[in-house]
Amino acid sequence: MLPAAGSISSLVAGLWLLNIVLDTSGQLAFKAAAGNPLAGDGLARWKHMAARPWLWLGIACYVIEFLVWIAFLSLIPLSEGVLLGSINIVAIMVAGRFLFGEKLTRLRVIGILLVTLGVTIVGVAG
Amino acid sequence: MRRFYLFGFLLLMGFDTLSQISFKYAGTQALPVAASVAWLLRVFGQPWVYGAIVGYVGAFFTWMSLLKHAPIGPAFAASHLEVVSVMLLSVWLFDEHLTVPRVLGAIAIIAGIVCLGLAESREHTPEPAA
């Protein structure tokens, strides 16, 4: 799944991987922040979230990801970059399966495989 | 109501597209990439980065209001289908080429996103009584 070393520099590959890690961690942190049913509603819920690290971890991930993505896109064509970035969808679903026990139905597995196939084609030959 | 969804999905795609185009302009103008304050100053010293932020914020609020009303499956798909508009615009704005691997990859990715959107729809619609 890693882009071939020939077509893409190691800096680009590193930024791509970092983007996946940050995007997935950020999403999962928001999920952990928002998913607590004991937190109440409205303002109480926001206070509950703000007093715990998950929300802030999520925000930190997104801020760093913002910069990583700018650096990534400045090094490769935009049309290639957005396609390679689609792998985040897969990473989040797989992580959700392992950490939150979310179900991977057959249709989801097909979707994940198709997105992965597309990203691989672009990464290897893009 | 259908027109409301369609407008919402298009607005979401529009904001996401604006972000990606702005990211590309911002990054290109801040080259060379370096883990340094100088690079950060170059990024935030030109207007495009703020276009990206506007796109992000706009997409966030559009997404939130769509989720309140629209079915999750199509909303999920629409939130990721900006790859199509971004690819087409990058040909026009950045003189990029739609190479065969990129087109094939895009087709597979879009098919995958549609499958995932359908999966979301199924999970969130109540099953008809057997």
Side-chain angles (χ1 to χ4, degrees), chain B:
Chain B
M1 210 55 188
R2 182 162 280 184
R3 192 173 289 175
F4 168 82
Y5 294 154
L6 188 67
F7 178 73
F9 294 149
L10 286 176
L11 195 63
L12 184 60
M13 263 180 88
F15 277 126
D16 281 331
T17 309
L18 171 71
S19 283
Q20 298 302 338
I21 301 282
S22 305
F23 275 131
K24 178 66 181 171
Y25 275 121
T28 310
Q29 293 190 10
L31 283 170
V33 172
S36 68
V37 176
W39 181 76
L40 283 178
L41 288 177
R42 286 200 296 275
V43 167
F44 288 98
Q46 30 85 33
W48 283 108
V49 71
Y50 304 100
I53 294 172
V54 167
Y56 255 32
V57 173
F60 175 80
F61 285 107
T62 312
W63 173 244
M64 286 309 188
S65 31
L66 265 179
L67 277 193
K68 234 181 240 175
H69 309 282
I72 179 101
F76 172 88
S79 73
H80 290 101
L81 287 179
E82 86 270 10
V83 289
V84 178
S85 48
V86 172
M87 276 184 81
L88 294 178
L89 278 173
S90 63
V91 171
W92 177 45
L93 294 174
F94 305 108
D95 292 322
E96 293 181 8
H97 300 284
L98 291 184
T99 61
V100 173
R102 278 181 211 161
V103 172
L104 288 179
I107 291 171
I109 290 168
I110 291 159
I113 290 170
V114 170
C115 285
L116 294 171
L118 286 173
E120 296 284 336
S121 295
R122 274 194 200 168
E123 232 161 76
H124 290 82
T125 0
E127 296 279 324

Side-chain angles (χ1 to χ4, degrees), chain A residues 66-67 69-71 73-74 76-80 82-83 86 89 93 105 107-108 111 114-115 118-119 121-122 125-126, chain B residues 20 23-24 27 31 33 39-40 49 53 80 86 90 94 96 99 101-102 105 108-109 112 115-116 118-120 123:
Chain A
F66 184 86
L67 298 170
W69 188 245
I70 289 177
L73 283 186
S74 70
I76 60 166
L78 178 61
S79 49
E80 194 175 335
V82 287
L83 293 174
S86 302
I89 306 169
M93 290 209 168
T105 57
L107 201 53
R108 273 203 181 155
L114 280 170
V115 173
V119 172
I121 293 173
V122 177
Chain B
Q20 298 302 338
F23 275 131
K24 178 66 181 171
L31 283 170
V33 172
W39 181 76
L40 283 178
V49 71
I53 294 172
H80 290 101
V86 172
S90 63
F94 305 108
E96 293 181 8
T99 61
R102 278 181 211 161
I109 290 168
C115 285
L116 294 171
L118 286 173
E120 296 284 336
E123 232 161 76

